[in-house]
Amino acid sequence: MTSITLLLLAIILSSRTSGATSRGGLFEASAVAEKHEQWMARFHRVYSDESEKTNRFEIFKKNLEFVERHNMNTNITYTLDVSQFSDLTDEEFRARYMGLVVPEDMLRISSSGSHKKVSFRHENVSDTGENMDWRQEGAVTSVKNQGHCGVCWAFSAVAAVEGITQIAKGELLSLSEQQLLDCSRDYNQGCAGGIMSKAFEYIIENQGITTEDNYPYQESQQTCSSTYSVAATISGYETVPSNDEQSLLKAVSKQPVSVAINGHEPAFKQYRSGIFDGDCGTQLTHAVTVVGYGMSEEGIKYWLLKNSWGRTWGENGYMRIKRDVDAPEGMCGLARLAFYPLA
């Protein structure tokens, strides 16, 4: 074969390879575009114009790539998926959905680990069992959705009050987050953020909280209403000793517990299933409710968290997150700051 023939053959092969690569790139782009259209339909997303759609598509594409790269790993205990947040930047997501605002003095106490001064009635609990699921005990209402309002603190607090009310009185009531959003204004700032302890203090001072039916959620702060009947009361609340997963375990064995957590990381945002042990710090930005714990078939211990982002996120609105980690703060800082109401 002559050198000219070899050169021509190389050019032809190069051309075919280039064409295949180009077609592969076009196919990949069209596949992502199709996934975006399917995602828009699933989450009823409508954009104002093509420019906004183009911008959101680029953000969606980056989030989708993050999800697919993660799910390609073989040694993972949890999977990701696109969620209702997948066309938001990390900064937008944090600004819209991270509603926990912790007072500085409370953070200092948490960081110092000075928990011996805290009254903790579950200190002497000795038998926590291998698992607990307060859903199976009838103490957890259906998953709710805070929507475009940073009021996770109210949903976390209400879920804990719903739990202790059912445990104490045998009746599961869906209580009003909107009442806390409108009326709990001592430190709490509505959709701009707040903390569960102040929500508990409001319920105590107000001598109760009404049902969700009586005072339905509006996804924005309204004028505080007093035209309702009290459905549930609490006598007080306590703080779980900080940076101590064993103390948290004792508390959760007795009732659902409100916890602060680092919830703004990309993997947390797009969690789908399994036992989460992803990258996350201990900065407290979100509030959830621990409604149980257990161990997987593979022997991995976990906490069961109830979130307030609707049923399309996570495991039908819940997350299993690794328990008994090497850091005293717990996975994503969930053992740093936790509260539970008293019947």
Side-chain angles (χ1 to χ4, degrees):
M1 188 177 292
T2 66
S3 59
I4 295 176
T5 303
L6 288 171
L7 178 61
L8 289 172
L9 182 59
I11 292 172
I12 292 170
L13 289 173
S14 175
S15 175
R16 289 178 177 176
T17 303
S18 174
T21 303
S22 175
R23 285 192 298 274
L26 286 172
F27 174 78
E28 182 181 354
S30 63
V32 174
E34 183 178 352
K35 288 183 178 180
H36 185 228
E37 292 293 338
Q38 293 171 347
W39 175 87
M40 288 175 61
R42 178 185 175 191
F43 292 105
H44 311 289
R45 185 76 85 252
V46 178
Y47 300 119
S48 60
D49 53 39
E50 283 301 314
S51 176
E52 183 190 6
K53 183 176 180 180
T54 299
N55 291 336
R56 293 297 166 187
F57 170 75
E58 290 301 320
I59 298 169
F60 174 85
K61 182 179 178 181
K62 290 179 181 178
N63 283 320
L64 177 62
E65 289 173 350
F66 177 84
V67 165
E68 293 184 339
R69 280 198 305 271
H70 170 84
N71 290 343
M72 287 174 64
N73 296 331
T74 55
N75 298 321
I76 56 174
T77 60
Y78 68 99
T79 62
L80 304 180
D81 195 5
V82 289
S83 68
Q84 64 263 49
F85 313 118
S86 293
D87 68 343
L88 301 177
T89 66
D90 293 339
E91 293 76 16
E92 288 172 327
F93 171 70
R94 183 170 180 174
R96 296 183 191 182
Y97 295 95
M98 298 292 102
L100 182 71
V101 181
V102 183
E104 284 297 324
D105 59 341
M106 194 175 290
L107 276 178
R108 283 195 296 271
I109 294 173
S110 169
S111 299
S112 68
S114 57
H115 55 259
K116 292 184 179 179
K117 300 177 183 177
V118 176
S119 174
F120 181 51
R121 65 182 53 208
H122 301 310
E123 177 64 39
N124 296 323
V125 171
S126 57
D127 184 13
T128 58
E130 292 185 358
N131 60 76
M132 168 55 72
D133 188 338
W134 285 108
R135 297 175 301 183
Q136 297 179 1
E137 302 299 321
V140 183
T141 60
S142 60
V143 170
K144 303 179 185 181
N145 195 338
Q146 69 189 68
H148 295 84
C149 175
V151 70
C152 57
W153 55 272
F155 282 83
S156 172
V158 161
V161 174
E162 290 169 344
I164 194 61
T165 300
Q166 191 280 333
I167 292 167
K169 299 183 178 179
E171 183 178 14
L172 182 63
L173 300 171
S174 182
L175 301 175
S176 174
E177 291 84 9
Q178 189 66 38
Q179 184 179 353
L180 295 179
L181 179 58
D182 292 349
C183 306
S184 173
R185 301 194 181 213
D186 180 12
Y187 180 80
N188 292 333
Q189 305 164 43
C191 291
I195 191 166
M196 303 81 81
S197 56
K198 294 297 182 181
F200 294 144
E201 288 174 13
Y202 164 79
I203 296 172
I204 296 164
E205 293 169 3
N206 188 64
Q207 298 183 336
I209 184 171
T210 194
T211 63
E212 185 177 18
D213 286 343
N214 288 339
Y215 205 148
Y217 185 57
Q218 303 295 323
E219 206 172 316
S220 63
Q221 191 172 42
Q222 311 287 320
T223 302
C224 180
S225 172
S226 59
T227 58
Y228 55 80
S229 57
V230 168
T233 61
I234 58 175
S235 62
Y237 72 93
E238 291 183 349
T239 304
V240 177
S242 61
N243 301 327
D244 184 351
E245 284 196 89
Q246 188 59 34
S247 289
L248 183 58
L249 186 73
K250 293 177 180 180
V252 178
S253 73
K254 296 301 180 183
Q255 63 185 106
V257 176
S258 292
V259 300
I261 197 168
N262 182 318
H264 67 272
E265 304 294 350
F268 196 103
K269 176 176 71 174
Q270 299 188 118
Y271 166 79
R272 176 58 181 151
S273 64
I275 300 177
F276 184 84
D277 65 349
D279 292 334
C280 55
T282 59
Q283 182 183 6
L284 304 179
T285 56
H286 187 49
V288 294
T289 313
V290 185
V291 296
Y293 52 83
M295 181 184 295
S296 71
E297 294 179 355
E298 297 75 22
I300 303 173
K301 295 179 180 179
Y302 64 84
W303 297 107
L304 177 63
L305 309 183
K306 181 185 182 183
N307 205 348
S308 53
W309 293 342
R311 295 179 62 85
T312 60
W313 178 88
E315 296 181 330
N316 294 314
Y318 293 89
M319 170 186 268
R320 286 179 293 157
I321 187 169
K322 193 172 183 180
R323 176 166 60 93
D324 283 356
V325 298
D326 291 335
E329 303 89 355
M331 180 61 65
C332 301
L334 63 78
R336 287 188 66 191
L337 193 62
F339 312 96
Y340 54 92
L342 307 176

mmCIF file of all heavy atoms in Angstrom, residues 152-153 155-157 159 196 257-261 268 286-290 305-309 313 334:
data_model
loop_
_atom_site.group_PDB
_atom_site.id
_atom_site.type_symbol
_atom_site.label_atom_id
_atom_site.label_comp_id
_atom_site.label_asym_id
_atom_site.label_seq_id
_atom_site.Cartn_x
_atom_site.Cartn_y
_atom_site.Cartn_z
ATOM 1 N N CYS A 152 -39.170 26.569 57.025
ATOM 2 C CA CYS A 152 -38.906 25.200 57.487
ATOM 3 C C CYS A 152 -38.978 25.088 59.000
ATOM 4 O O CYS A 152 -39.372 24.056 59.549
ATOM 5 C CB CYS A 152 -37.538 24.751 56.990
ATOM 6 S SG CYS A 152 -36.166 25.828 57.487
ATOM 7 N N TRP A 153 -38.585 26.165 59.704
ATOM 8 C CA TRP A 153 -38.600 26.168 61.174
ATOM 9 C C TRP A 153 -39.997 25.873 61.722
ATOM 10 O O TRP A 153 -40.141 25.168 62.723
ATOM 11 C CB TRP A 153 -38.080 27.505 61.704
ATOM 12 C CG TRP A 153 -38.817 28.703 61.166
ATOM 13 C CD1 TRP A 153 -38.535 29.391 60.021
ATOM 14 C CD2 TRP A 153 -39.965 29.344 61.740
ATOM 15 N NE1 TRP A 153 -39.432 30.426 59.840
ATOM 16 C CE2 TRP A 153 -40.315 30.426 60.884
ATOM 17 C CE3 TRP A 153 -40.716 29.130 62.894
ATOM 18 C CZ2 TRP A 153 -41.389 31.279 61.144
ATOM 19 C CZ3 TRP A 153 -41.799 29.974 63.157
ATOM 20 C CH2 TRP A 153 -42.103 31.034 62.288
ATOM 21 N N PHE A 155 -42.528 24.248 60.046
ATOM 22 C CA PHE A 155 -42.908 22.881 59.691
ATOM 23 C C PHE A 155 -42.225 21.870 60.609
ATOM 24 O O PHE A 155 -42.840 20.877 61.021
ATOM 25 C CB PHE A 155 -42.569 22.606 58.228
ATOM 26 C CG PHE A 155 -43.551 23.196 57.262
ATOM 27 C CD1 PHE A 155 -43.464 24.523 56.863
ATOM 28 C CD2 PHE A 155 -44.594 22.432 56.759
ATOM 29 C CE1 PHE A 155 -44.376 25.080 55.972
ATOM 30 C CE2 PHE A 155 -45.521 22.970 55.869
ATOM 31 C CZ PHE A 155 -45.415 24.299 55.477
ATOM 32 N N SER A 156 -40.957 22.113 60.929
ATOM 33 C CA SER A 156 -40.234 21.229 61.839
ATOM 34 C C SER A 156 -40.866 21.240 63.226
ATOM 35 O O SER A 156 -41.086 20.181 63.829
ATOM 36 C CB SER A 156 -38.767 21.670 61.925
ATOM 37 O OG SER A 156 -38.082 20.956 62.922
ATOM 38 N N ALA A 157 -41.172 22.431 63.727
ATOM 39 C CA ALA A 157 -41.773 22.548 65.053
ATOM 40 C C ALA A 157 -43.158 21.907 65.100
ATOM 41 O O ALA A 157 -43.494 21.177 66.043
ATOM 42 C CB ALA A 157 -41.855 24.019 65.461
ATOM 43 N N ALA A 159 -44.406 19.517 63.230
ATOM 44 C CA ALA A 159 -44.333 18.057 63.163
ATOM 45 C C ALA A 159 -44.003 17.460 64.525
ATOM 46 O O ALA A 159 -44.537 16.408 64.901
ATOM 47 C CB ALA A 159 -43.283 17.630 62.133
ATOM 48 N N MET A 196 -37.069 26.856 65.677
ATOM 49 C CA MET A 196 -38.142 26.053 66.260
ATOM 50 C C MET A 196 -38.411 26.401 67.720
ATOM 51 O O MET A 196 -39.554 26.370 68.182
ATOM 52 C CB MET A 196 -37.804 24.564 66.136
ATOM 53 C CG MET A 196 -37.556 24.100 64.705
ATOM 54 S SD MET A 196 -35.872 24.465 64.113
ATOM 55 C CE MET A 196 -34.930 23.115 64.816
ATOM 56 N N VAL A 257 -38.436 14.651 67.037
ATOM 57 C CA VAL A 257 -37.585 15.742 67.522
ATOM 58 C C VAL A 257 -37.254 16.705 66.382
ATOM 59 O O VAL A 257 -36.893 16.276 65.283
ATOM 60 C CB VAL A 257 -36.278 15.176 68.127
ATOM 61 C CG1 VAL A 257 -35.339 16.299 68.546
ATOM 62 C CG2 VAL A 257 -36.592 14.275 69.322
ATOM 63 N N SER A 258 -37.359 17.997 66.650
ATOM 64 C CA SER A 258 -36.973 19.028 65.679
ATOM 65 C C SER A 258 -35.461 19.203 65.686
ATOM 66 O O SER A 258 -34.870 19.379 66.755
ATOM 67 C CB SER A 258 -37.624 20.370 66.039
ATOM 68 O OG SER A 258 -39.019 20.339 65.860
ATOM 69 N N VAL A 259 -34.843 19.173 64.505
ATOM 70 C CA VAL A 259 -33.394 19.334 64.437
ATOM 71 C C VAL A 259 -33.014 20.355 63.378
ATOM 72 O O VAL A 259 -33.706 20.524 62.373
ATOM 73 C CB VAL A 259 -32.663 17.999 64.143
ATOM 74 C CG1 VAL A 259 -32.951 16.968 65.210
ATOM 75 C CG2 VAL A 259 -33.012 17.472 62.760
ATOM 76 N N ALA A 260 -31.894 21.022 63.638
ATOM 77 C CA ALA A 260 -31.272 21.905 62.651
ATOM 78 C C ALA A 260 -30.269 21.088 61.858
ATOM 79 O O ALA A 260 -29.659 20.151 62.384
ATOM 80 C CB ALA A 260 -30.584 23.065 63.362
ATOM 81 N N ILE A 261 -30.064 21.438 60.579
ATOM 82 C CA ILE A 261 -29.201 20.639 59.727
ATOM 83 C C ILE A 261 -28.627 21.506 58.612
ATOM 84 O O ILE A 261 -29.175 22.579 58.295
ATOM 85 C CB ILE A 261 -29.999 19.449 59.129
ATOM 86 C CG1 ILE A 261 -29.074 18.366 58.583
ATOM 87 C CG2 ILE A 261 -30.982 19.917 58.069
ATOM 88 C CD1 ILE A 261 -29.797 17.068 58.247
ATOM 89 N N PHE A 268 -27.713 17.116 48.924
ATOM 90 C CA PHE A 268 -28.896 17.132 49.783
ATOM 91 C C PHE A 268 -30.100 17.615 48.973
ATOM 92 O O PHE A 268 -31.192 17.056 49.060
ATOM 93 C CB PHE A 268 -28.650 18.048 50.982
ATOM 94 C CG PHE A 268 -29.608 17.866 52.122
ATOM 95 C CD1 PHE A 268 -29.233 17.177 53.261
ATOM 96 C CD2 PHE A 268 -30.896 18.390 52.064
ATOM 97 C CE1 PHE A 268 -30.119 17.011 54.325
ATOM 98 C CE2 PHE A 268 -31.790 18.233 53.113
ATOM 99 C CZ PHE A 268 -31.395 17.533 54.248
ATOM 100 N N HIS A 286 -31.110 24.685 57.683
ATOM 101 C CA HIS A 286 -32.432 24.129 57.400
ATOM 102 C C HIS A 286 -32.950 23.418 58.647
ATOM 103 O O HIS A 286 -32.171 23.075 59.544
ATOM 104 C CB HIS A 286 -32.317 23.152 56.224
ATOM 105 C CG HIS A 286 -33.618 22.622 55.716
ATOM 106 N ND1 HIS A 286 -34.709 23.428 55.424
ATOM 107 C CD2 HIS A 286 -34.012 21.333 55.423
ATOM 108 C CE1 HIS A 286 -35.694 22.674 54.975
ATOM 109 N NE2 HIS A 286 -35.310 21.407 54.976
ATOM 110 N N ALA A 287 -34.251 23.208 58.715
ATOM 111 C CA ALA A 287 -34.860 22.519 59.856
ATOM 112 C C ALA A 287 -35.736 21.379 59.353
ATOM 113 O O ALA A 287 -36.514 21.545 58.409
ATOM 114 C CB ALA A 287 -35.696 23.483 60.686
ATOM 115 N N VAL A 288 -35.592 20.226 59.990
ATOM 116 C CA VAL A 288 -36.389 19.042 59.662
ATOM 117 C C VAL A 288 -36.826 18.395 60.978
ATOM 118 O O VAL A 288 -36.523 18.906 62.060
ATOM 119 C CB VAL A 288 -35.596 18.044 58.799
ATOM 120 C CG1 VAL A 288 -35.278 18.624 57.431
ATOM 121 C CG2 VAL A 288 -34.303 17.623 59.510
ATOM 122 N N THR A 289 -37.505 17.273 60.886
ATOM 123 C CA THR A 289 -37.937 16.559 62.091
ATOM 124 C C THR A 289 -37.469 15.119 62.024
ATOM 125 O O THR A 289 -37.720 14.430 61.032
ATOM 126 C CB THR A 289 -39.471 16.589 62.231
ATOM 127 O OG1 THR A 289 -39.944 17.920 62.010
ATOM 128 C CG2 THR A 289 -39.889 16.141 63.611
ATOM 129 N N VAL A 290 -36.766 14.675 63.059
ATOM 130 C CA VAL A 290 -36.353 13.269 63.123
ATOM 131 C C VAL A 290 -37.544 12.462 63.649
ATOM 132 O O VAL A 290 -37.995 12.672 64.773
ATOM 133 C CB VAL A 290 -35.133 13.072 64.044
ATOM 134 C CG1 VAL A 290 -34.668 11.612 63.978
ATOM 135 C CG2 VAL A 290 -33.985 13.989 63.639
ATOM 136 N N LEU A 305 -35.594 11.230 58.566
ATOM 137 C CA LEU A 305 -35.959 12.645 58.630
ATOM 138 C C LEU A 305 -37.222 12.913 57.827
ATOM 139 O O LEU A 305 -37.367 12.447 56.686
ATOM 140 C CB LEU A 305 -34.835 13.522 58.061
ATOM 141 C CG LEU A 305 -33.416 13.313 58.595
ATOM 142 C CD1 LEU A 305 -32.471 14.331 57.947
ATOM 143 C CD2 LEU A 305 -33.378 13.426 60.112
ATOM 144 N N LYS A 306 -38.130 13.689 58.398
ATOM 145 C CA LYS A 306 -39.280 14.201 57.665
ATOM 146 C C LYS A 306 -38.953 15.616 57.213
ATOM 147 O O LYS A 306 -38.660 16.485 58.034
ATOM 148 C CB LYS A 306 -40.542 14.223 58.550
ATOM 149 C CG LYS A 306 -41.781 14.721 57.809
ATOM 150 C CD LYS A 306 -42.984 14.853 58.743
ATOM 151 C CE LYS A 306 -44.220 15.296 57.957
ATOM 152 N NZ LYS A 306 -45.388 15.510 58.851
ATOM 153 N N ASN A 307 -39.010 15.842 55.904
ATOM 154 C CA ASN A 307 -38.724 17.161 55.355
ATOM 155 C C ASN A 307 -40.029 17.876 55.004
ATOM 156 O O ASN A 307 -41.116 17.303 55.134
ATOM 157 C CB ASN A 307 -37.821 17.026 54.118
ATOM 158 C CG ASN A 307 -36.995 18.269 53.839
ATOM 159 O OD1 ASN A 307 -37.228 19.325 54.418
ATOM 160 N ND2 ASN A 307 -36.022 18.144 52.953
ATOM 161 N N SER A 308 -39.914 19.116 54.534
ATOM 162 C CA SER A 308 -41.106 19.909 54.192
ATOM 163 C C SER A 308 -41.021 20.432 52.769
ATOM 164 O O SER A 308 -41.381 21.570 52.479
ATOM 165 C CB SER A 308 -41.266 21.079 55.171
ATOM 166 O OG SER A 308 -40.069 21.842 55.254
ATOM 167 N N TRP A 309 -40.529 19.563 51.854
ATOM 168 C CA TRP A 309 -40.399 19.928 50.441
ATOM 169 C C TRP A 309 -41.332 19.105 49.558
ATOM 170 O O TRP A 309 -41.097 18.969 48.364
ATOM 171 C CB TRP A 309 -38.953 19.745 49.979
ATOM 172 C CG TRP A 309 -37.982 20.695 50.623
ATOM 173 C CD1 TRP A 309 -38.269 21.866 51.267
ATOM 174 C CD2 TRP A 309 -36.550 20.557 50.683
ATOM 175 N NE1 TRP A 309 -37.118 22.463 51.718
ATOM 176 C CE2 TRP A 309 -36.046 21.692 51.379
ATOM 177 C CE3 TRP A 309 -35.656 19.596 50.221
ATOM 178 C CZ2 TRP A 309 -34.681 21.875 51.620
ATOM 179 C CZ3 TRP A 309 -34.300 19.778 50.457
ATOM 180 C CH2 TRP A 309 -33.814 20.911 51.137
ATOM 181 N N TRP A 313 -39.715 14.968 46.597
ATOM 182 C CA TRP A 313 -38.306 14.987 47.018
ATOM 183 C C TRP A 313 -38.006 13.748 47.861
ATOM 184 O O TRP A 313 -38.817 13.355 48.710
ATOM 185 C CB TRP A 313 -38.025 16.250 47.826
ATOM 186 C CG TRP A 313 -36.607 16.336 48.341
ATOM 187 C CD1 TRP A 313 -35.527 16.865 47.698
ATOM 188 C CD2 TRP A 313 -36.127 15.867 49.612
ATOM 189 N NE1 TRP A 313 -34.403 16.752 48.481
ATOM 190 C CE2 TRP A 313 -34.732 16.138 49.659
ATOM 191 C CE3 TRP A 313 -36.721 15.241 50.707
ATOM 192 C CZ2 TRP A 313 -33.943 15.812 50.766
ATOM 193 C CZ3 TRP A 313 -35.940 14.907 51.798
ATOM 194 C CH2 TRP A 313 -34.570 15.199 51.827
ATOM 195 N N LEU A 334 -26.526 17.452 62.215
ATOM 196 C CA LEU A 334 -27.880 17.261 62.774
ATOM 197 C C LEU A 334 -27.923 17.065 64.282
ATOM 198 O O LEU A 334 -28.993 17.132 64.895
ATOM 199 C CB LEU A 334 -28.595 16.114 62.073
ATOM 200 C CG LEU A 334 -28.076 14.690 62.132
ATOM 201 C CD1 LEU A 334 -28.402 14.010 63.456
ATOM 202 C CD2 LEU A 334 -28.669 13.867 61.009
#
